[in-house]
């Protein structure tokens, strides 16, 4: 009829094209961060290997992580990456130690034993003041959020039982952490 209105919903569906493989790594990949020089730092979860990939040349270097090799984070100095591991959950296997990976020059990681409220960390992120926070969980989420002292490697658990406590990023605009995992996204304000 002339008087009726038709409501239409338009959803934007992203499409990607021209995908280009940069490099095939022998141990696979899980975590990723970008080094200050533009190279990709890739963690091969379960293999104990960290890769430094030049995305322009498609070349890679490898180093032993020394401990964890799953989720990666670049610290505020931008001179080292950190790789966590959720060892005590069945989905991950290997060392529970946190790996400190020097980037200038890129070399083997240094293992740090984690103690405190949690004895492993999965993902790290730093707030604007330089405080280091962590999540730790199974791959499907359901874990803890807290603060990590990067001098003593002692954790202080602030929240537990969070479905989204798997991956994490810090948003400097809102000064909050965005946690994601297990089909959940959670925003956390840590003060």
């Amino acid at each position: 009829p002339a008087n009726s209105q038709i409501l239409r919903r338009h959803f934007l569906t992203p499409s990607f094209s021209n995908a280009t493989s940069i490099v095939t790594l022998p141990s696979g990949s899980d975590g990723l961060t970008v080094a200050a020089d533009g190279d990709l730092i890739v963690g091969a979860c379960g293999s104990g290997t960290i890769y430094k990939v030049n995305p322009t040349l498609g070349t890679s270097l490898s180093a032993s992580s020394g401990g964890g090799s799953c989720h990666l984070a670049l610290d505020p100095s931008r001179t080292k990456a950190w790789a966590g591991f959720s060892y005590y959950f069945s989905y991950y296997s290997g060392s529970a130690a946190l790996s400190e990976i020097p980037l200038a020059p890129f070399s083997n990681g240094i293992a740090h034993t984690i103690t405190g409220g949690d004895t492993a960390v999965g993902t790290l992120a730093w707030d604007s003041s330089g405080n280091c926070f962590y999540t730790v969980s199974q791959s499907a989420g359901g874990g803890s959020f807290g603060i990590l002292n990067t001098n003593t490697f002692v954790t202080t658990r602030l929240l537990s039982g969070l479905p989204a406590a798997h991956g994490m990023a810090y948003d400097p605009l809102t000064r909050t952490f965005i946690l994601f995992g297990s089909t959940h996204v959670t925003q956390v304000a840590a003060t």
Side-chain angles (χ1 to χ4, degrees), residues 45-137:
C45 194
S47 76
T49 305
I50 304 292
Y51 296 95
K52 189 171 192 282
V53 176
N54 181 311
T56 304
L57 301 176
T59 57
S60 67
L61 301 171
S62 65
S64 170
S65 69
S69 59
C70 291
H71 295 183
L72 288 163
L74 193 64
D75 77 2
S77 75
R78 300 184 54 86
T79 62
K80 50 190 158 184
W82 297 83
F85 226 46
S86 298
Y87 169 74
Y88 57 89
F89 292 107
S90 62
Y91 292 104
Y92 293 110
S93 60
S95 173
L98 174 67
S99 297
E100 176 183 356
I101 300 103
L103 299 178
F106 179 64
S107 57
N108 288 338
I110 304 157
H112 298 284
T113 300
I114 301 297
T115 61
D118 287 294
T119 57
V121 296
T123 302
L124 301 182
W126 285 260
D127 67 10
S128 300
S129 299
N131 299 306
C132 182
F133 290 81
Y134 73 92
T135 59
V136 63
S137 71

